[in-house]
Each structure stands twice: as structure tokens, then as C-alpha cells.
Amino acid sequence: MKPVGPIPPGYEALDGELVIGGHTVSALVANAGRTPLFVYSRAHLDKRMSELRSAIPARIGVNYAVKANPHPDVIAHMAGLADGFDIASSGELAMLQAAGIDAGRVSFAGPGKRDDELEAAITSGVTLNCESEGEAERTLAIADHLGIAPRMALRVNPDFELRGSGMKMGGGAKPFGVDASQVPPLARKLIDAGVEWRGLHIFTGSQALNEEAIIETQGNVLKLAANLAGEIDSSLPKLNMGGGFGIPYFPGDEAIDPTMIGAALADMVANLPPLLANTELCLELGRYLVGEAGVYLTRIVDKKESHGVAYLVTDGGLHHQLAASGNFGTVVRRNYPVAIASQFDAEPSEEVNVVGCLCTPLDRLADKAFLPRAEVGDLVAVFCAGAYGATASPAAFLGQGPAAEMLI
Ligand SMILES: Cc1ncc(COP(=O)(O)O)c(C=O)c1O
């Protein structure tokens, strides 16, 4: 038997069924008309943001990293919750524009921005978090041609990393950002060229569950930003401090305590170096804001036994849940939080493998999980599906197509 990950708080049973945002899963699936189905809960999104806001100093804004979940209804809802938005492509820019989000709230980071993307960012007034000297030169040339002063910040590749993060985006050779030592001359060049200087972006990693590591990194980020501002010889209008706040996916993972991080941030904010005294500060978070607000529901279409092993075969799989299948950035596969949604309060009684409908051994949603006895027609829930699910999975694989999605 292998344990499954911890079910996030706020999910309960009604008449034996999992309830999401006040609705039973059978009602949600009936409403959607089909499975597989991603359900995102407004109530969960609101709660997460309000708890975070009350933990951190009001001085520090919260940006939403759209890549975590770009569903139009989620974006529209986050427009009322987040201060800013971080995008990674002109496709995401178009999504924010469709939601009527002001470009002044948006910053665009990511390596490999094409000329047409730079042009779209410049004309719309989005802040470009510039990733390299070459990108800076292309931006200046395009802006010159357009006759617009571009809004620009520099993304810094710091010499430190976020300890314990699932994905490291700083420290050593990286395709992200400008090496810290190269930042001052490039920033000077941009300021002298007349760009609308928006400061620095320092994103060091993602999926960290250790508060002390997060706090240490935020301290390092502020120190580095102050040093760089000194070398640039200009105060910073804005500093995007990154984030990296993780959520518990796997057995043994524990949720971070935002009040601990918030208290440390309050201390840092009270003792900011002079060059950061008037700097606008923000965190940039994706999965922490939306991950636990989403549940993926898939129906069991077959139950079989092979060599004494029970299989629940579902109509979903890795084409919607690449991360839960263990094929998106994990080295050793472990079980996500998974449950039989249609028998949410039943006692576990059977060891099963929950698999998807794709003809590949990679398509696993749970290995050797001890779950209530389920039959064809029952619904399986995969939790922590609100981030990096629908759009981070190969929905077109084997002609399956996307899952339904709804925000409730
Ligand atoms: C620049 C940047 N911002 C934000 C994020 C969001 O990370 P997370 O969803 O872990 O908060 C990432 C993730 O890779 C990133 O690269």
C-alpha cells in the first residue's frame, strides 16, 4: 500500500458525497454534463487570499502568476483579489486583455519573448521583466520604432536559490534573468535610454514548503535589491520579490504557515534600507493562490483485476493531470491527494491502482492506494488540481481533448 497525499482543508461530505463550494460532486457533474471535469471554487480562492492578506503587511502586494490557472473565469475572479498579474506569453496577455484587466497591473516575464510579443507588451503598456541583454536591445529597438517609451524592469538571476524548492529558478547558470553582476550596467543603459524604469524582478524558485527557507530567501532578495539599487545609483520604483510558496501534494507534506512568513516580512518592511524606502513591493504567487481551490473529477469506466491487482480505470488521466501522474517535474512518483468522490465518507477497504484511459503505463492517478470500495460509475477526485492541471497537460494526446472546467 502507498499513502495518498493530504486532502486540502475545506472539503467535506454531504450524503456521502464530496462537496465543493457547497455543491455535491454528482450535482456538479450533472451541471457540466460530463466528466472529466475541473471544478474551481470561488470560496476557496477568496479564503486563501484573505488569509494571506491578513498574514502579510499591507505594504506588500500580491501578484497572481497566470500560468498556474488561466481559465477565463478564474482570471476574472482573481482580477478582484490580486493586485497584479504576471504573464509568460502574449497569449496570456490576450487573456488578461479579454478580461479587461488594466495593463498597468501586468508584468511579463519569461525567456524567449518573440519580437511580436515584445511589441504587444510595449503597445499595451505592460511591464517587461527583461531576461537578457539581447532582449533589452530588441525591446529598445522595437520601442524606438514604435515611438513609445517601454515600461521595463530587469529580472535578476541571483547568486542564491530558494532552499528546498521543487523548481529552482535562481543560483548559478540559468536561462532566467540577468546575472546579478550584469544588472547594474544594463539597468543604467535602460534608464539612460529613457525607458519607464520599473525596477527589479527576483524570482528564485517554486513549490517551497519550508517557511524558514522562504523567509531567508526574501531577506536575501531585499538585500540584493538594495545593493543593486546602490550600484545602479537609483532608488527602485518597484521590486517583485518572487514567491515560491508551495502547497502540500504528497504524503508527509505540510502546509506552510503564512503568519510566520508574514511576521518576518513585517520585520523586513519595518527595516527597509533607504534605497527601498519608497519601493512598491509585491509577491508573485501561482499555485499557492489557486492550487487547492481546484478538484479534478473523473468517472470510473472499468474495474478489473490483473495478477491479483485491482485497477480502477477512469475516463480521465495524464492528458489533464500530468503532474498527478508523476510526469511533470517529479523524479520519484508519489500519490497526489486522491479520493472516491462519490463515497467521500466511506471507510477505505480496498487497495487499488487508479489509472487513466490512455494506453500508456505512465497514465496513473494513484498507485496502490487504500480507498473505499468503488465500482464502475463512481467518481474519483484528484485534489490540488487548481494549478498546473488543465493547461499544463497534453489534452490533445490520443485525441482525447480537454476536460470540462467550471468555476463555482
Ligand atoms: C517567473 C515565475 N513566476 C511565478 C511562477 C509561479 O510559481 P508557483 O505557481 O509555484 O507560485 C513561476 C513558476 O515557474 C515562474 O517561473
Side-chain angles (χ1 to χ4, degrees), residues 182-351:
Q182 303 302 312
V183 165
L186 185 54
R188 225 24 287 160
K189 183 171 165 183
L190 293 177
I191 293 167
D192 293 345
V195 307
E196 187 181 327
W197 174 236
R198 298 302 294 141
L200 302 174
H201 175 217
I202 310 181
F203 188 92
T204 49
S206 135
Q207 183 50 20
L209 289 172
N210 179 332
E211 295 92 345
E212 275 156 22
I214 292 172
I215 292 165
E216 173 193 277
T217 298
Q218 285 167 339
N220 288 337
V221 163
L222 288 172
K223 232 179 283 163
L224 174 61
N227 288 343
L228 291 174
E231 286 182 53
I232 298 165
D233 198 18
S234 161
S235 58
L236 287 184
K238 181 156 183 176
L239 171 64
N240 180 329
M241 303 171 65
F245 295 16
I247 57 174
Y249 289 103
F250 301 116
D253 283 357
E254 278 182 33
I256 55 170
D257 174 3
T259 59
M260 189 171 158
I261 297 169
L265 282 173
D267 249 15
M268 293 179 208
V269 163
N271 297 292
L272 282 176
L275 279 171
L276 301 185
N278 297 312
T279 300
E280 190 185 329
L281 300 172
C282 70
L283 298 173
E284 177 185 346
L285 303 171
R287 76 188 73 218
Y288 185 74
L289 299 180
V290 295
E292 293 182 348
V295 180
Y296 176 69
L297 297 172
T298 176
R299 197 178 290 284
I300 298 169
V301 291
D302 196 10
K303 181 171 184 177
K304 61 190 282 190
E305 211 173 287
S306 171
H307 291 272
V309 176
Y311 285 86
L312 302 178
V313 186
T314 68
D315 63 1
L318 75 73
H319 52 302
H320 305 142
Q321 276 294 298
L322 193 62
S325 75
N327 294 294
F328 190 57
T330 35
V331 181
V332 179
R333 192 197 173 283
R334 289 175 292 163
N335 289 329
Y336 259 46
V338 167
I340 305 298
S342 41
Q343 302 184 46
F344 196 54
D345 57 1
E347 285 302 315
S349 60
E350 191 176 37
E351 184 181 301

Side-chain angles (χ1 to χ4, degrees), residues 107-149:
S107 54
F108 181 178
K113 300 183 191 77
R114 300 183 308 268
D115 285 359
D116 63 292
E117 296 188 298
L118 295 174
E119 182 170 335
I122 295 164
T123 47
S124 65
V126 157
T127 295
L128 275 161
N129 289 338
C130 181
E131 304 267 349
S132 73
E133 191 164 352
E135 189 177 292
E137 272 161 20
R138 284 191 295 129
T139 306
L140 291 179
I142 294 167
D144 190 44
H145 181 71
L146 294 169
I148 302 173

Side-chain angles (χ1 to χ4, degrees), residues 361-373:
L362 300 178
D363 194 7
R364 292 179 286 173
L365 294 176
D367 261 350
K368 298 185 177 158
F370 193 47
L371 296 175
R373 189 173 179 82

